[in-house]
Amino acid sequence: MRQSGRSRHQKRARAQAQLRSLEAYAAQPHSFVFARGRAGRGVRQLSLDLRRVMEPLTATRLQKLMRLPGGPTLTFRINKYTLVRDVVSSLRRHRMHEQQFTHPPLLVLNSFGPHGMHVKLMATMFQNLFPSINVHKVNLNTIKRCLLINYNPDSQELDFRHYSIKVVPVGASRGMKKLLQEKFPNMSRLQDISELLATGAGLSESEAEPDGEHNITELPQAIAGRGNMRAQQSAIRLTEIGPRMTLQLIKIQEGVGEGNVLFHSFVHKTEEELQAILAAKEEKLRLKAQRQDQQAQNVQRKQEQREAHKKKSLAGMKRARAEADGDSDAEDPGAPPEAEGAGQEEEDEAEYFRQAVGEEPDEDMFPKARRRRPTGPPSKKRQIKERKLDRGSDRRPPKAKGKPWGAQAKLGPRQAARDIGRGRARPSKKVA
């Protein structure tokens, strides 16, 4: 029976392809665009349009966390700008759809020549905003947009333009070009199709824009579209889709928003001022390093104090436990031989006293002799001692649950004697 679904090798290949695509996406440069401070409606809309230009490698809704590079920071001033809706409304026809924004635009830099280090740094910054392109392996179907940045060395301004790219075949009549388009022309007023191919009847001049050597090229590979075949002549047409800006570089600064100012358009400092700024920067760095070393030493010292306090506390707890246990861990060396001999002699004398008198000797007579537990009835001396102990106690014997006082357990001889002495019970008379 044939198995449905993908095989194990197909699933593995698909997972590996997804992993490679994710790694390639993470390796590409990313960006995010936002307005600083309180901005008006136009500036907010301009920031949204600029995000549209930077798609798809940008934060559309600013919901990403990323690691920023170490700078430098370039600050521009926007002298003029035009929003996307204004640019599109000024065109008779525009080509802008969602598929154009699935890939980053093609970056074109113009007139960034040897005009100074700041111009070279600007070009490098713009190049690093977008992924690099290998001209030998690039797929032309992924290039749907173009971002043109032109530098004017006289005014020191940047012209920012955003275009959509359309590729059409050349060498055909206007009627043939109309047939090759996706939308078929209206031929209700024509008698035959030859009228459309020969004269291009019913077509406007804007639908047959003249092409020349400036935009005609030979395609190295086939491109999506009717008639765009490999090694055939095609025309590259650009349509502006906005936004449009005129920028001016203000300053270049080290780091991210802080550091030495490498270039400034309006402030020019002498060599002595630069040296003083550099010395102040070095002093600030030295003080910062000193504070960091001091903080590290304080942390190390506090750590050592905590460790010493911990060891001291553990030692005190162990010593208190040993004193409470009576030094139970120490070995008992046993009694010396002389003490053992003396104890044996007192044991013999205590045994002789028991046999002669018939009673147990007092505890202070033979302290080293072992005391025997009495097995017979208590002696008179012991009974008197027990009575004295019982008189000193005012506790009443507990009452059995659910039983009256007369129904308690049968008393033994000693308890009966104690009760007689206290007056609690009297011995029963024997009946002859």
Side-chain angles (χ1 to χ4, degrees):
M1 184 176 180
R2 185 177 180 181
Q3 296 180 355
S4 60
R6 299 182 180 88
S7 64
R8 183 184 305 174
H9 299 287
Q10 291 177 344
K11 293 180 180 179
R12 185 180 303 171
R14 185 176 181 180
Q16 293 177 356
Q18 291 179 354
L19 180 61
R20 287 194 298 268
S21 63
L22 289 176
E23 292 177 352
Y25 180 79
Q28 294 176 353
H30 294 71
S31 62
F32 60 95
V33 183
F34 61 94
R36 295 180 57 185
R38 301 181 61 182
R41 181 183 303 177
V43 176
R44 291 197 301 269
Q45 185 62 38
L46 179 62
S47 64
L48 296 178
D49 294 344
L50 195 56
R51 290 182 194 176
R52 192 73 167 167
V53 175
M54 308 297 292
E55 285 186 359
L57 303 178
T58 187
T60 306
R61 297 183 180 180
L62 290 180
Q63 293 180 352
K64 293 182 180 181
L65 297 178
M66 62 191 67
R67 179 179 60 86
L68 297 177
T73 303
L74 280 74
T75 303
F76 294 90
R77 182 173 65 184
I78 302 177
N79 295 332
K80 302 176 183 178
Y81 71 91
T82 305
L83 301 178
V84 172
R85 62 170 179 260
D86 299 329
V87 174
V88 172
S89 62
S90 63
L91 300 176
R92 180 179 299 179
R93 294 175 312 177
H94 69 277
R95 287 183 53 85
M96 187 170 59
H97 48 83
E98 293 296 330
Q99 295 181 356
Q100 294 177 340
F101 299 92
T102 57
H103 299 279
L106 174 67
L107 178 64
V108 178
L109 300 179
N110 186 37
S111 299
F112 282 84
H115 302 293
M117 185 59 65
H118 62 286
V119 178
K120 184 177 180 180
L121 193 56
M122 277 194 301
T124 304
M125 187 270 296
F126 286 122
Q127 290 174 353
N128 292 333
L129 287 177
F130 303 94
S132 59
I133 295 178
N134 189 347
V135 295
H136 301 287
K137 298 182 180 180
V138 64
N139 185 8
L140 296 181
N141 290 315
T142 61
I143 302 177
K144 299 294 183 180
R145 295 178 295 137
C146 174
L147 178 60
L148 173 63
I149 300 178
N150 178 58
Y151 177 72
N152 189 349
D154 298 332
S155 61
Q156 296 185 356
E157 292 181 344
L158 299 173
D159 296 326
F160 186 96
R161 300 291 185 270
H162 188 211
Y163 300 95
S164 66
I165 300 177
K166 180 182 178 181
V167 181
V168 295
V170 296
S173 62
R174 289 184 296 174
M176 181 61 67
K177 292 178 182 179
K178 192 66 176 179
L179 289 176
L180 293 177
Q181 293 179 1
E182 298 178 358
K183 184 178 180 181
F184 202 78
N186 185 8
M187 296 186 299
S188 59
R189 298 181 180 181
L190 302 180
Q191 298 296 330
D192 191 78
I193 193 173
S194 59
E195 297 181 9
L196 176 66
L197 300 178
T199 61
L203 300 180
S204 62
E205 292 296 330
S206 60
E207 292 178 342
E209 297 178 359
D211 298 318
E213 296 181 356
H214 62 283
N215 65 336
I216 295 178
T217 184
E218 183 178 343
L219 298 179
Q221 55 183 269
I223 300 179
R226 299 180 181 180
N228 297 320
M229 306 300 295
R230 182 179 179 182
Q232 297 294 329
Q233 297 288 329
S234 296
I236 310 299
R237 297 178 182 177
L238 303 179
T239 303
E240 188 175 6
I241 57 178
R244 181 188 303 173
M245 293 187 296
T246 301
L247 307 175
Q248 182 180 3
L249 178 65
I250 300 299
K251 66 177 180 179
I252 302 176
Q253 195 173 6
E254 289 182 350
V256 182
E258 59 182 6
N260 296 331
V261 178
L262 304 179
F263 171 81
H264 204 289
S265 299
F266 307 114
V267 180
H268 303 281
K269 298 181 180 179
T270 61
E271 187 67 23
E272 291 78 7
E273 293 176 344
L274 294 176
Q275 292 296 332
I277 294 174
L278 183 59
K281 183 67 176 180
E282 292 178 353
E283 180 66 17
K284 184 177 179 181
L285 294 176
R286 187 186 64 81
L287 294 176
K288 183 178 180 181
Q290 184 178 358
R291 288 194 302 269
Q292 291 178 351
D293 295 340
Q294 185 66 27
Q295 291 175 358
Q297 293 177 4
N298 294 337
V299 171
Q300 183 67 20
R301 178 175 53 82
K302 292 180 180 179
Q303 184 70 19
E304 293 176 356
Q305 289 179 356
R306 283 194 296 267
E307 292 294 335
H309 181 69
K310 183 178 179 181
K311 292 180 180 179
K312 187 177 179 180
S313 301
L314 293 176
M317 294 170 60
K318 187 175 181 181
R319 185 170 57 254
R321 191 181 300 112
E323 292 176 357
D325 296 343
D327 199 8
S328 59
D329 296 337
E331 264 187 42
D332 187 7
E338 297 82 2
E340 292 182 359
Q344 186 64 30
E345 292 178 359
E346 290 191 1
E347 182 67 27
D348 295 342
E349 293 178 358
E351 183 64 26
Y352 178 76
F353 182 85
R354 293 189 193 99
Q355 295 178 2
V357 180
E359 295 182 359
E360 283 288 335
D362 294 336
E363 295 180 0
D364 55 352
M365 293 179 62
F366 307 104
K368 296 183 180 181
R370 297 180 181 179
R371 309 298 297 178
R372 289 187 178 181
R373 187 175 183 180
T375 56
S379 61
K380 185 176 181 180
K381 186 177 181 180
R382 185 176 181 86
Q383 291 180 2
I384 295 173
K385 188 175 181 179
E386 290 178 357
R387 289 176 185 175
K388 292 180 179 180
L389 293 175
D390 292 337
R391 288 175 183 175
S393 177
D394 296 335
R395 298 180 182 177
R396 186 176 180 180
K399 179 180 179 181
K401 294 183 179 179
K403 294 183 180 180
W405 285 99
Q408 291 187 3
K410 188 177 180 180
L411 301 177
R414 294 187 181 179
Q415 188 66 28
R418 294 176 188 173
D419 292 342
I420 293 172
R422 298 174 188 171
R424 296 182 181 176
R426 296 183 181 275
S428 58
K429 295 181 179 181
K430 294 184 180 180
V431 181

